[in-house]
Amino acid sequence: VHPGDCTVQVHSGRGTVHPEVLRLGLRYASATILGSNSRCVALLGALTHLVRDYTTPADKELPRDLEDNLNANVAYLERCRPLAVSMRNAVKHIKRYINATPEKTPDHKAKSDILKCIEDYLKERVVLAGQAISLFAANKIGKDDVILVYGFSSIVFKILIDSFKQTRFSVVIIDGRPRLEGRTMLTRLTQHGVPCTYALLNALPYVLERGCVRKVLLGAHALLANGRVMGRVGTALVAMVAHARGVPVLVCCETHKFCERVQTDSIVVNELGDPLELVVTGHGDPTGGRLATTLNEGKNLTLLNLSYDITPPEFVTMVITELGMLPCTSVPVVLRVKSIEGT
Amino acid sequence: MIISMSFYSKDDVLAYYEQCQRDESKAVAVTAIETLIHFMENSKAETLQGLIAEMNQVINILKHTEGNVTSIASGCELFIRFITLESVVLESSPFNKVISILVEEGSKFIKKISKARAKIAQLAQQFIENGAVILTHSISKCVMDVLVEAKRMGKRFLVYVTQSGPDNSGKGMYDKLIESGISATLILDSATGYIMESVDMVIVGAEGVVENGGILNKIGTYGIAICAQYSNKPVYVAAESFKFVRLYPLNQRDIPNSLKYNSSVLEATRGDTRYQHPKIDYTPPNLITLLFTNLGVLTPSAVSDELIKQYL
């Protein structure tokens, strides 16, 4: 689905789509909400409304019917924009909890328990996790460090802002087309008084060396079971060049983004963005549009706008999670420990 | 509860520690824990917090010795964790009884970890074949035990030992090897590149094993590991599990100064270490082939697994 082309079927199969979820789907499709954490938090908000407004039909039982309803709503969101790993994990967690509702629980109690489950997930796995990661990362940020970041990541932003209160450092922001999310990072960091340098991806090797960058802080969309990091397209490049220059690469990722999927390259599972984004230079240039149509008619040209890429673990020095600082190879261990705990 | 300013005098602690150190075959961490147990026995603390505060004071004094601070730090942290966990189990008993139980359990703990080196020596044997040429760095009791056991099993092998400046500790290793009847050659640190093509493997000890499976060891280890990787020779590390330390250095600069330099040096230069020579360096896990520990033969990534299992 691309902006300007939002026709999505709303009534589908069992159950209708809740208005909050409807609104959310449109915000996803139009790229109003970007970023793994933001999308997950928005989803949890919408699901809270859904559960609160839910009433069990006369001939049905809450666990089964609510799950069907949930599935219908999630299917709608999937058509607006493929679910992020964080969102998938959240939905899985909530469904597991709903399924475990003991029989004969009165509706109001079941609902309030499920609402508490959603609230706890948000609080523990997103908010508190973010604070814990910020504390761990602060140990690795020293006075007068030059820290390189790529694009925009909510957790990296939080770490930088929290650490800047204790230590002075400067930041180099590398940005990549077509999203140019680094501009958001630049605006917000400078608002907090952090000295910043801004450059595009093609300047990376030069800036890394000349700017005396001490470390690289990256966010992640997901961490895969074979230790690979899935991040915004361009992340793998940044990690590779930093590794080649001997600059440590720190990936910051909450455990709710850990995924049991195994992927060896960036092509097999990915998300395609609007190919026209590659052509239009982002200022609503009308001539760009005509250029795009001309190019598109060329049958030998495919415009490929990948959203994510995979960074191999040998380029990553450490992963900072709320459980502590881990090597990339320890992701399956955390997944194993977490699945034993049942969270 | 009133927390006294200082429970034990520095001299008392150091005197007891020196006394324990006299048995040179004991690991440094073991003597540190023995010192802690001794002072715990005489403690007048009435709560767990009080006891841990006293122990931390002793630990701070021990960390200021000139020797192997990394091992002391890891051993002591392990012991504090051990006390905390045991006390939770003994919650209902009156505290002075708790202390005597802790002392008893502590002595059993020491006996158990003292057997670690023997187990490591056993595990390492499958990697040493007849005719092997081994390169080692500086002096390590763990590596010594591995080589002595190999000799005992009747294997023929040759050992190159680096001199290991600035304190020439490698000479001590060389002397002990010769005493045990093992063929050894003492080489200059600068000759490791030259000798690498002639060796079959590198075996080093570790002062500390960090969270990602890398090691902290006498300065020079990193260089040897790089050389070995370039020449495709395996690098094995012999280290007991009580050397696993909760540190995760990003690079050489990221190693805490308290481990790199003697505390007397840090005090004298007031933290300006630009002209001081570090005692240890960090060897990252990608340069290490396997670690021989009392928990088994581990790959560097398995070290992190073990730590997660213990601490989570």
Side-chain angles (χ1 to χ4, degrees):
Chain A
V1 178
H2 309 306
D5 175 21
C6 283
T7 48
V8 182
Q9 196 183 13
V10 165
H11 285 259
S12 59
R14 318 177 70 88
T16 55
V17 177
H18 189 283
E20 280 301 323
V21 175
L22 200 69
R23 195 173 303 153
L24 186 63
L26 291 175
R27 289 166 82 196
Y28 284 154
S30 59
T32 314
I33 306 182
L34 283 177
S36 186
N37 273 342
S38 319
R39 290 164 68 190
C40 184
V41 169
L43 173 71
L44 292 174
L47 291 183
T48 308
H49 284 277
L50 189 152
V51 173
R52 205 173 280 151
D53 296 343
Y54 173 79
T55 45
T56 326
D59 55 343
K60 300 269 173 57
E61 284 199 6
L62 185 139
R64 186 67 52 79
D65 192 62
L66 179 55
E67 196 185 325
D68 286 343
N69 194 322
L70 189 59
N71 284 338
N73 280 271
V74 167
Y76 159 73
L77 288 176
E78 177 85 37
R79 282 195 306 281
C80 294
R81 189 184 163 185
L83 290 188
V85 168
S86 56
M87 291 163 63
R88 258 183 242 283
N89 287 344
V91 168
K92 213 191 302 182
H93 177 87
I94 297 170
K95 282 211 290 207
R96 197 182 301 150
Y97 189 83
I98 295 176
N99 264 325
T101 310
E103 270 188 52
K104 317 265 190 232
T105 317
D107 270 11
H108 69 96
K109 170 117 182 27
K111 275 170 49 167
S112 77
D113 283 348
I114 295 168
L115 286 174
K116 178 105 190 352
C117 164
I118 298 177
E119 194 189 312
D120 285 347
Y121 189 87
L122 176 63
K123 191 166 76 168
E124 286 170 14
R125 307 298 292 274
V126 182
V127 177
L128 287 178
Q131 288 171 4
I133 292 177
S134 182
L135 281 175
F136 283 126
N139 285 329
K140 292 299 179 190
I141 297 180
K143 186 166 177 297
D144 298 329
D145 266 355
V146 179
I147 300 171
L148 189 134
V149 301
Y150 178 68
F152 181 81
S153 161
S154 53
I155 185 74
V156 170
F157 174 70
K158 179 174 170 55
I159 292 170
L160 293 175
I161 292 307
D162 288 348
S163 298
F164 198 69
K165 296 183 189 138
Q166 327 281 23
T167 333
R168 293 278 117 168
F169 53 84
S170 61
V171 176
V172 176
I173 304 166
I174 297 292
D175 210 357
R177 283 201 64 230
R179 295 283 171 88
L180 291 173
E181 289 162 319
R183 290 180 299 183
T184 317
M185 186 69 111
L186 179 66
T187 328
R188 294 202 200 171
L189 282 180
T190 45
Q191 272 168 5
H192 282 82
V194 180
C196 295
T197 307
Y198 178 89
L200 291 182
L201 204 50
N202 43 16
L204 176 64
Y206 179 86
V207 170
L208 204 57
E209 199 166 293
R210 286 296 160 147
C212 303
V213 172
R214 282 275 171 85
K215 45 196 71 110
V216 175
L217 265 183
L218 297 173
H221 175 91
L223 238 62
L224 304 179
N226 56 354
R228 276 155 171 77
V229 179
M230 182 172 177
R232 173 69 69 220
V233 66
T235 309
L237 269 178
V238 174
M240 182 174 74
V241 178
H243 174 82
R245 289 264 187 267
V247 177
V249 174
L250 284 62
V251 170
C252 312
C253 186
E254 300 92 329
T255 57
H256 73 91
K257 292 182 195 158
F258 282 20
C259 169
E260 278 173 24
R261 193 170 70 215
V262 170
Q263 214 177 310
T264 46
D265 62 61
S266 312
I267 299 291
V268 65
V269 178
N270 209 322
E271 193 185 320
L272 290 179
D274 179 6
L276 293 182
E277 273 182 345
L278 293 183
V279 178
V280 178
T281 49
H283 290 291
D285 180 4
T287 56
R290 252 182 287 139
L291 178 65
T293 331
T294 322
L295 279 175
N296 253 341
E297 277 163 28
K299 292 180 182 58
N300 293 322
L301 178 67
T302 311
L303 294 167
L304 185 64
N305 185 2
L306 290 174
S307 296
Y308 299 110
D309 66 19
I310 304 290
T311 306
E314 48 265 28
F315 296 156
V316 178
T317 317
M318 112 177 9
V319 175
I320 309 182
T321 70
E322 70 267 27
L323 303 172
M325 300 182 279
L326 311 167
C328 247
T329 45
S330 288
V331 170
V333 184
V334 172
L335 283 170
R336 195 176 69 224
V337 167
K338 286 261 156 201
S339 72
I340 292 171
E341 277 176 33
T343 29
Chain B
M1 196 199 125
I2 305 164
I3 301 172
S4 336
M5 283 307 290
S6 155
F7 302 106
Y8 306 108
S9 86
K10 187 171 170 189
D11 299 320
D12 281 345
V13 173
L14 290 177
Y16 189 82
Y17 180 70
E18 303 290 314
Q19 200 187 324
C20 289
Q21 275 271 291
R22 262 184 233 140
D23 179 359
E24 278 187 1
S25 69
K26 268 194 277 187
V28 169
V30 172
T31 41
I33 297 175
E34 280 183 354
T35 314
L36 284 177
I37 293 182
H38 170 83
F39 284 94
M40 184 167 73
E41 233 172 336
N42 304 324
S43 162
K44 306 263 186 316
E46 287 167 26
T47 62
L48 177 64
Q49 261 73 2
L51 179 65
I52 291 188
E54 291 187 17
M55 292 293 101
N56 277 329
Q57 231 229 345
V58 176
I59 292 173
N60 269 329
I61 297 174
L62 288 175
K63 278 188 185 166
H64 280 69
T65 58
E66 302 282 298
N68 192 335
V69 178
T70 323
S71 286
I72 294 176
S74 62
C76 291
E77 192 187 317
L78 193 65
F79 187 66
I80 295 289
R81 200 181 130 72
F82 167 75
I83 303 179
T84 320
L85 286 176
E86 286 288 318
S87 308
V88 166
V89 172
L90 301 169
E91 230 174 78
S92 43
S93 318
F95 202 68
N96 53 357
K97 194 144 180 290
V98 171
I99 290 197
S100 58
I101 297 178
L102 284 179
V103 170
E104 200 184 302
E105 292 293 320
S107 309
K108 281 192 213 156
F109 180 68
I110 287 211
K111 277 208 190 70
K112 195 170 81 167
I113 61 180
S114 301
K115 295 201 188 111
R117 286 214 309 264
K119 191 156 179 223
I120 293 173
Q122 272 306 310
L123 285 172
Q125 292 317 305
Q126 55 182 308
F127 295 89
I128 302 177
E129 292 175 351
N130 256 323
V133 179
I134 301 169
L135 172 65
T136 188
H137 181 58
S138 186
I139 184 166
S140 162
K141 298 185 186 88
C142 242
V143 177
M144 192 69 214
D145 281 4
V146 168
L147 298 175
V148 163
E149 176 66 18
K151 174 80 185 168
R152 199 189 63 79
M153 292 186 76
K155 297 185 188 170
R156 284 177 298 107
F157 58 94
L158 176 59
V159 182
Y160 287 103
V161 188
T162 57
Q163 213 173 40
S164 179
D167 56 356
N168 273 350
S169 45
K171 179 81 168 50
M173 180 77 164
Y174 169 77
D175 290 337
K176 287 213 184 91
L177 286 170
I178 296 292
E179 244 176 70
S180 311
I182 296 172
S183 322
T185 309
L186 188 62
I187 64 171
L188 288 179
D189 294 348
S190 33
T192 47
Y194 173 84
I195 208 70
M196 195 56 75
E197 64 188 37
S198 318
V199 309
D200 296 318
M201 67 185 80
V202 177
I203 307 183
V204 292
E207 294 185 18
V209 177
V210 293
E211 279 183 41
N212 59 0
I215 60 167
L216 298 172
N217 198 31
K218 183 78 191 294
I219 189 108
T221 311
Y222 181 42
I224 294 177
I226 292 177
C227 219
Q229 196 198 40
Y230 183 78
S231 315
N232 287 322
K233 310 288 177 181
V235 174
Y236 301 124
V237 174
E240 304 94 319
S241 65
F242 55 73
K243 291 200 175 136
F244 288 13
V245 64
R246 300 232 52 201
L247 273 179
Y248 197 142
L250 294 173
N251 46 25
Q252 309 301 330
R253 197 191 272 128
D254 207 25
I255 306 170
N257 276 349
S258 54
L259 301 179
K260 282 200 278 198
Y261 309 101
N262 288 329
S263 55
S264 53
V265 164
L266 285 174
E267 268 169 40
T269 58
R270 256 168 290 178
D272 178 5
T273 54
R274 276 174 303 165
Y275 308 106
Q276 302 307 318
H277 205 282
K279 297 191 288 181
I280 60 174
D281 62 25
Y282 161 64
T283 305
N286 59 311
L287 299 178
I288 298 170
T289 315
L290 289 172
L291 292 109
F292 306 143
T293 74
N294 50 308
L295 301 171
V297 176
L298 305 175
T299 56
S301 39
V303 168
S304 170
D305 278 12
E306 287 295 325
L307 280 169
I308 293 178
K309 272 194 279 191
Q310 263 186 39
Y311 284 98
L312 281 184

